[in-house]
Amino acid sequence: MAENLTPGQVLQAVYKADGEFYKATVVTVSTSAKRQKAPVKVHYVGYEDSDDAWLSIDQLKSKALKGAGAPAGKKGKAKEEPKPKAKAKAKAKAKVYDFSAVEKGMKLKAEADGKFYAAQVVAISTKRKDTPIKVNFLGYTSASDEWMGCDRLRSKSIVLKEQTTTPTMPAAAKKLLLVKPAIEAPLDPGFRPVILGKKKYLEEAKDCEDKLDWALPRADGCARYTLPVFGEKSRNVPASIYLAGVLIQEMMWQRSAASLMLAGPKRICNALKKAFSKGGAYEFEIKSMPNVCGTPDKPFEVTIVSSADELPAAKDTPQVCGKDANGCRLAFDLGKSDIKTVAVKDNEVVYSKETEWDVTNKDPQYHYDAIMAALKLAKEALPKVDAIGGSATGTVSGANEATWCDIFPNVPPKVYKEKVVDIFVRMAKDLAGDVPLKVINDGEVTALAAVQKIKHGNVMGISMGSSEGGGYANADGNLLGWINELCYIRLDLNPKAPTDPWSKGAHTGLSHMYLGQRGATKLAAKGGVEVPKNYVYPHKDMCTIKHEDHAQCLKLIQKAMADEALEPKVRQIYETVGVYLGYGLAQYTEFYNIEHVMILGRVSKGKGGDIMLAKAKEVLEKDFPDIPSITFHTADDHFKAVGQCIAAAALPSLK
């Protein structure tokens, strides 16, 4: 059949990432034996050349093929019976398909005599490896029911397992969402900001009548959102599905979620339900959220309702925290690289220290001893201890329980529940007896530190340390009650963006790799910094959850910045991170009313930090003139290093 096609001929071609047919033109037809299975190279009309693909005849639709295209079936001679070896090969290939989203009663297309007919799933068996799905052909009796494998079925609920573990970006999503920034990142030219992709999408979808609504309920609130989406028959539907997934993920890590509720077009809702289920693109999120919410035994659920009116209303529960560090107080900030401790007497710091530690250690007693040793040194600087405040990455309950803190990533779940959940309460009692204790998320403390310094609300605090720690205080200087785990939010839509060790490769472009020290260290070699071979990203030592190598690499970057001969090249590292920061802040403004931003953390130290902030301001001024001006704030290097601890010291109220 391929000989009937000529270069330039228009036809319909499958795009492998989503299984949909798109308008395409023939680029070339190969007669090579090596191309026998996929002899036709096509170009998808309106898409980049990089999306061109070699396809088989059954992945094409054209009158010139005389009905050979899927799924209509052949009109010519019946297909020859495959040889035994071919059958074995087909069976082996079938094993890579994922049927987990298929449900009894679901309608699909099933093959019979070379043609595909409407059918319905009547049974699913996990014991039948090659033919696990039994179907009934609609309009026929049960006598024709048949067990089948994916090679004879057509359904969007049947995908290759490779697609569930390494999600691909559909061609439609690439076309609409990958937008080159006006101000490029010098050392990361492929950076494609989420905010720009979303902006372009909303412009293209402004006349769409269909809407997708979702709700993310949590114990003390609920997040809501409405996104215009393309009609179910539009070729741009994959872009709607893809962007919706990114935005839902973003809101989950802003506020947490016990479940996801969807209302909208059936095709889109079903695709998202699958994405936020076991084996889906967001499996990491649905496994993490029960722990984040402090309900590890309650699975994350996704439900589809018939109308947005059935979704719960948006709700937040602001939290008021102490702002006066009167008396004698101890405080700690547990980061992924070090433990920061301070002793405060009547709002004055009398002691401060940073102590490196290994967060990857599996033994909870190691962590307890390391934190206690640092706090005991701080205690020696005070005549007594009236209260203890603290901050940690992850989520901390109102009862100061470490419900989900990723500074203990390798502690086994059962041991975590027994030895880590109450670690802060035990430390405080062993250190100072029955004194007031308050521990919250590190990002929230960053925001409170900003409020205390600038004496103003509507402040976002961003700590650029081992990773991004973010928090926000409203106009009254109080917290929103969100978890603000901004380090898990996607900033870069480039499908070739780096992965991170926390999500174990499930995602690309998360803030972990942009607004913390890894955002700088991954660029060290590109920026002309002489570093050991194992510090050159993506060496395996730079792709683990351990932070020691990154901390040392950052010191080499800072040292190189002081060298006049190296500075012109090294400054591009900070300019690149500044571009990340500018577009990241623009993204955050949709959900946070940001009038001021306080930047803390070791990445922001020194001359490099100044360069970074200048570039971030340039991005906001030139690419987002409609966003109200944001005032940037920093402090001296000492405050950058221990500012969170000072704010943490004020958290508990004295008895």
Side-chain angles (χ1 to χ4, degrees):
M1 291 292 182
E3 64 271 14
N4 294 341
L5 300 176
T6 58
Q9 188 169 346
V10 179
L11 40 60
Q12 293 287 314
V14 164
Y15 181 63
K16 295 179 182 179
D18 59 15
E20 297 287 338
F21 279 89
Y22 294 91
K23 185 177 180 181
T25 58
V26 176
V27 176
T28 186
V29 179
S30 176
T31 58
S32 171
K34 294 182 179 180
R35 288 289 180 190
Q36 185 176 5
K37 294 182 180 180
V40 184
K41 186 175 184 181
V42 301
H43 171 75
Y44 298 95
V45 177
Y47 294 84
E48 298 178 1
D49 292 344
S50 59
D51 288 320
D52 291 0
W54 287 94
L55 300 178
S56 59
I57 295 300
D58 64 354
Q59 292 173 313
L60 304 171
K61 281 183 178 181
S62 172
K63 291 182 179 179
L65 297 176
K66 298 180 180 179
K74 284 191 174 183
K75 294 182 180 179
K77 295 181 179 179
K79 187 184 294 183
E80 293 182 5
E81 180 70 13
K83 294 179 181 180
K85 289 185 177 179
K87 282 187 175 181
K89 188 172 183 180
K91 289 181 179 180
K93 185 175 182 180
K95 294 180 181 179
V96 303
Y97 282 82
D98 179 15
F99 294 88
S100 61
V102 175
E103 299 175 350
K104 186 176 179 180
M106 182 180 291
K107 293 182 180 179
L108 38 63
K109 292 289 183 80
E111 181 268 342
D113 299 325
K115 295 183 179 181
F116 282 81
Y117 300 87
Q120 187 172 19
V121 177
V122 295
I124 301 172
S125 173
T126 57
K127 296 181 179 180
R128 303 175 67 96
K129 294 183 179 180
D130 297 331
T131 55
I133 300 175
K134 188 176 184 179
V135 302
N136 168 256
F137 291 90
L138 298 183
Y140 292 82
T141 66
S142 59
S144 62
D145 290 2
E146 185 176 356
W147 287 96
M148 294 187 177
C150 62
D151 55 322
R152 297 181 60 197
L153 298 170
R154 295 285 186 269
S155 171
K156 292 183 176 65
S157 296
I158 300 174
V159 297
L160 290 170
K161 285 189 176 181
E162 287 85 344
Q163 293 179 342
T164 65
T165 55
T166 308
T168 56
M169 191 175 196
K174 290 180 180 179
K175 183 178 180 180
L176 285 183
L177 303 179
L178 297 183
V179 181
K180 185 177 181 180
I183 300 176
E184 291 190 61
L187 299 180
D188 189 358
F191 177 56
R192 296 294 180 265
V194 168
I195 179 62
L196 295 184
K198 183 178 181 180
K199 187 176 180 181
K200 180 180 178 182
Y201 172 91
L202 292 176
E203 177 61 28
E204 294 289 335
K206 63 183 180 182
D207 297 324
C208 290
E209 296 181 359
D210 290 336
K211 308 292 181 185
L212 172 70
D213 288 88
W214 66 77
L216 293 165
R218 59 187 189 275
D220 59 353
C222 180
R224 284 287 303 272
Y225 199 85
T226 300
L227 180 72
V229 294
F230 292 96
E232 292 192 308
K233 294 183 179 180
S234 169
R235 63 188 294 176
N236 287 324
V237 167
S240 295
I241 296 170
Y242 193 88
L243 180 61
V246 172
L247 300 182
I248 292 171
Q249 176 198 37
E250 178 176 5
M251 295 183 76
M252 290 173 77
W253 289 111
Q254 284 174 347
R255 318 170 194 211
S256 81
S259 63
L260 168 63
M261 300 177 68
L262 300 162
K266 184 177 180 180
R267 176 183 171 186
I268 295 176
C269 287
N270 286 339
L272 289 169
K273 181 175 182 178
K274 181 178 179 180
F276 285 89
S277 300
K278 185 178 180 180
Y282 297 96
E283 182 175 17
F284 175 75
E285 276 67 29
I286 63 112
K287 286 185 175 181
S288 297
M289 283 299 124
N291 295 319
V292 170
C293 294
T295 55
D297 298 325
K298 184 178 181 181
F300 187 88
E301 294 184 350
V302 183
T303 56
I304 299 174
V305 298
S306 59
S307 169
D309 295 336
E310 298 179 44
L311 299 176
K315 178 186 176 183
D316 288 320
T317 307
Q319 299 177 0
V320 179
C321 294
K323 300 178 179 65
D324 183 11
N326 59 322
C328 297
R329 299 167 179 256
L330 291 176
F332 59 86
D333 170 39
L334 305 182
K336 295 184 176 73
S337 293
D338 51 48
I339 300 167
K340 301 182 183 70
T341 50
V342 298
V344 178
K345 185 176 182 180
D346 294 326
N347 292 289
E348 294 291 331
V349 177
V350 295
Y351 172 92
S352 67
K353 187 176 181 180
E354 297 182 23
T355 306
E356 292 185 358
W357 69 330
D358 178 14
V359 298
T360 65
N361 196 299
K362 297 180 181 180
D363 184 4
Q365 190 62 42
Y366 162 83
H367 298 293
Y368 180 88
D369 292 341
I371 301 168
M372 282 292 287
L375 283 170
K376 286 178 179 179
L377 290 175
K379 180 181 179 181
E380 294 177 359
L382 295 172
K384 61 178 181 176
V385 176
D386 296 319
I388 300 174
S391 67
T393 63
T395 55
V396 182
S397 75
N400 301 305
E401 294 177 327
T403 55
W404 182 80
C405 292
D406 57 359
I407 46 174
F408 312 108
N410 294 330
V411 177
K414 289 185 179 180
V415 180
Y416 186 102
K417 187 175 182 179
E418 297 174 359
K419 301 290 186 179
V420 176
V421 170
D422 68 344
I423 191 171
F424 302 138
V425 176
R426 288 190 289 113
M427 286 193 310
K429 186 173 183 180
D430 292 348
L431 191 69
D434 188 22
V435 300
L437 169 70
K438 185 63 177 178
V439 184
I440 64 175
N441 172 269
D442 63 334
E444 305 286 35
V445 176
T446 302
L448 294 177
V451 170
Q452 291 186 23
K453 176 173 172 56
I454 67 178
K455 310 301 181 185
H456 199 288
N458 289 335
V459 180
M460 171 158 278
I462 296 179
S463 177
M464 302 177 71
S466 301
S467 187
E468 179 189 9
Y472 177 79
N474 64 17
D476 298 321
N478 296 323
L479 305 177
L480 295 178
W482 299 3
I483 62 171
N484 294 312
E485 282 295 320
L486 303 184
C487 54
Y488 287 94
I489 289 176
R490 194 168 181 184
L491 300 182
D492 187 358
L493 285 175
N494 186 339
K496 296 182 180 179
T499 59
D500 67 276
W502 291 274
S503 66
K504 298 178 175 62
H507 299 302
T508 59
L510 299 190
S511 177
H512 281 300
M513 302 299 293
Y514 294 79
L515 297 183
Q517 63 184 7
R518 291 173 191 243
T521 58
K522 78 174 192 282
L523 304 170
K526 289 183 179 180
V529 180
E530 292 187 14
V531 296
K533 290 182 179 180
N534 65 317
Y535 285 5
V536 178
Y537 183 84
H539 189 278
K540 63 179 183 179
D541 289 352
M542 301 296 279
C543 298
T544 71
I545 205 167
K546 296 186 68 172
H547 297 280
E548 290 85 346
D549 289 335
H550 292 278
Q552 295 304 317
C553 186
L554 182 60
K555 291 178 181 179
L556 294 176
I557 294 173
Q558 293 167 336
K559 181 179 179 181
M561 271 297 294
D563 188 322
E564 293 184 2
L566 298 175
E567 193 271 349
K569 183 67 175 178
V570 179
R571 70 182 290 124
Q572 291 185 339
I573 296 175
Y574 288 96
E575 289 174 347
T576 298
V577 179
V579 171
Y580 297 156
L581 178 60
Y583 285 104
L585 283 170
Q587 180 176 334
Y588 298 158
T589 58
E590 179 180 3
F591 299 104
Y592 304 89
N593 180 17
I594 306 174
E595 294 183 31
H596 301 265
V597 61
M598 169 71 83
I599 305 296
L600 302 173
R602 61 182 63 85
V603 178
S604 65
K605 290 182 178 181
K607 181 180 178 181
D610 295 337
I611 293 171
M612 177 187 72
L613 296 183
K615 183 60 69 172
K617 294 176 185 177
E618 180 185 353
V619 168
L620 290 170
E621 291 170 359
K622 293 186 177 181
D623 220 355
F624 302 95
D626 296 335
I627 293 179
S629 179
I630 297 175
T631 303
F632 282 72
H633 299 270
T634 59
D636 55 47
D637 288 346
H638 178 72
F639 187 84
K640 289 178 182 178
V642 299
Q644 290 171 283
C645 280
I646 298 172
L651 290 174
S653 299
L654 297 184
K655 293 181 179 180

